[in-house]
């Protein structure tokens, strides 16, 4: 158990629908990241929050949105779903220790597998 | 040897041999470089990192080499074991919090 909790683990829905993925970061981590991983592909950075504020944005579609709440958990909202949105969605939180002071090591959750039919 | 599959490049090695996984990064201003291992059905996990002012760092059975001249990073795994089979990602930290992942390489260990 990495300490990062993602729900649901699996989700099957239809095109045009909207879903919400939830993430609780490791205790004490202030930063949350969302990544999308399509089948046998790399990790596409979507968005990052730090202590409730958006910090960086990647290739996130306008149909997608996210937020980080005062208790630091985060939600990723995916709307008007298309077949191509089927993927693993990972949440990670930031541990600024690593092996050196300053390295931003991410701790990942187990992911939420979204299937759009 | 190393080959490019339909998606992720794949490296196939014999158990007990050494593995070398390569990565090209893009930003010469990156501060740290990190290797992650992603096993099937799991999220990526931290393996080792290296600061940009270093050329080499060793961990347990793993060594990371950094060549800033050609913006190249490599992960060497000694005496590769079946449990090392996974997808390996390099990542670069820029400006503190920003982390960009490389494309990933699938390592397949033959028993």
């Amino acid at each position: 158990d990495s300490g990062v909790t993602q729900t649901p683990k699996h989700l099957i829905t239809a095109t045009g629908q909207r879903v919400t993925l939830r993430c609780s970061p490791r205790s004490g981590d202030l930063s949350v990241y969302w990544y999308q991983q399509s089948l046998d592909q790399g990790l596409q950075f979507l968005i990052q929050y730090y202590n409730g504020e958006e910090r960086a944005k990647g290739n996130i579609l306008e149909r997608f949105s996210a937020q980080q709440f005062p208790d630091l958990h985060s939600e990723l909202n995916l709307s008007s779903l298309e077949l191509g949105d089927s993927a693993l969605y990972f949440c990670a939180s930031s541990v600024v220790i690593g092996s050196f002071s300053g390295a931003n090591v991410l701790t990942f959750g187990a992911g939420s597998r979204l299937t759009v039919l | 040897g190393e080959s490019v599959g339909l998606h992720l490049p794949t490296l196939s090695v014999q158990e007990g041999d050494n593995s070398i996984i390569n990565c090209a990064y893009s930003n010469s201003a990156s501060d740290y470089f990190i290797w992650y291992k992603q096993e099937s059905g799991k999220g990526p996990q931290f393996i080792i990192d290296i600061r940009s002012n270093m050329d080499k760092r060793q961990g347990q059975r793993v060594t990371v080499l950094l060549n800033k001249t050609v913006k190249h990073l490599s992960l060497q795994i000694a005496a590769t074991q079946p449990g090392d089979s996974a997808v390996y990602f390099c990542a670069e930290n820029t400006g503190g919090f920003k982390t960009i992942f490389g494309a990933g390489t699938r390592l397949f260990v033959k028993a």
Side-chain angles (χ1 to χ4, degrees):
Chain A
D1 183 5
S2 68
V4 177
T5 304
Q6 288 188 248
T7 56
K9 292 197 71 168
H10 302 276
L11 189 56
I12 302 174
T13 189
T15 54
Q17 296 297 305
R18 172 191 168 93
V19 298
T20 296
L21 309 180
R22 194 179 190 279
C23 170
S24 294
R26 269 176 56 132
S27 177
D29 286 354
L30 299 178
S31 214
V32 168
Y33 305 73
W34 286 98
Y35 287 85
Q36 179 193 54
Q37 186 175 41
S38 300
L39 183 64
D40 212 25
Q41 300 272 345
L43 292 157
Q44 295 298 317
F45 170 65
L46 296 178
I47 198 164
Q48 180 214 344
Y49 284 84
Y50 178 75
N51 203 20
E53 292 189 7
E54 183 182 306
R55 189 70 174 247
K57 220 168 186 175
N59 298 322
I60 187 167
L61 300 171
E62 285 191 13
R63 300 184 285 109
F64 296 0
S65 64
Q67 54 183 326
Q68 185 179 28
F69 295 87
D71 67 351
L72 300 178
H73 92 270
S74 178
E75 292 181 357
L76 178 67
N77 301 296
L78 314 174
S79 62
S80 302
L81 285 168
E82 302 175 359
L83 295 178
D85 297 328
S86 295
L88 262 171
Y89 290 85
F90 285 105
C91 170
S93 67
S94 176
V95 178
V96 189
I97 43 177
S99 303
F100 309 95
S101 171
N104 188 39
V105 175
L106 303 184
T107 301
F108 282 81
S112 293
R113 182 174 294 280
L114 173 66
T115 302
V116 182
L117 300 176
Chain B
E2 187 169 303
S3 63
V4 176
L6 287 176
H7 297 285
L8 293 172
T10 299
L11 176 64
S12 185
V13 300
Q14 197 69 41
E15 181 180 0
D17 288 351
N18 296 334
S19 302
I20 300 176
I21 301 169
N22 297 303
C23 175
Y25 64 91
S26 56
N27 191 341
S28 57
S30 292
D31 304 309
Y32 294 92
F33 300 90
I34 304 172
W35 281 98
Y36 290 86
K37 173 186 181 183
Q38 185 180 21
E39 295 176 282
S40 182
K42 298 182 179 180
Q45 290 181 295
F46 169 81
I47 302 174
I48 190 168
D49 60 7
I50 187 168
R51 193 168 182 168
S52 59
N53 63 355
M54 297 177 69
D55 299 321
K56 178 179 179 179
R57 188 152 193 273
Q58 285 187 292
Q60 191 173 24
R61 275 202 313 120
V62 295
T63 301
V64 56
L65 298 177
L66 176 62
N67 185 332
K68 293 182 286 295
T69 303
V70 295
K71 293 191 214 171
H72 184 268
L73 194 65
S74 69
L75 178 71
Q76 300 178 3
I77 304 173
T80 312
Q81 302 167 2
D84 295 326
S85 292
V87 176
Y88 291 82
F89 293 98
C90 66
E92 47 186 311
N93 280 176
T94 304
F97 286 103
K98 195 168 184 180
T99 299
I100 302 297
F101 282 82
T105 297
R106 184 181 302 282
L107 176 64
F108 179 68
V109 181
K110 296 178 285 187

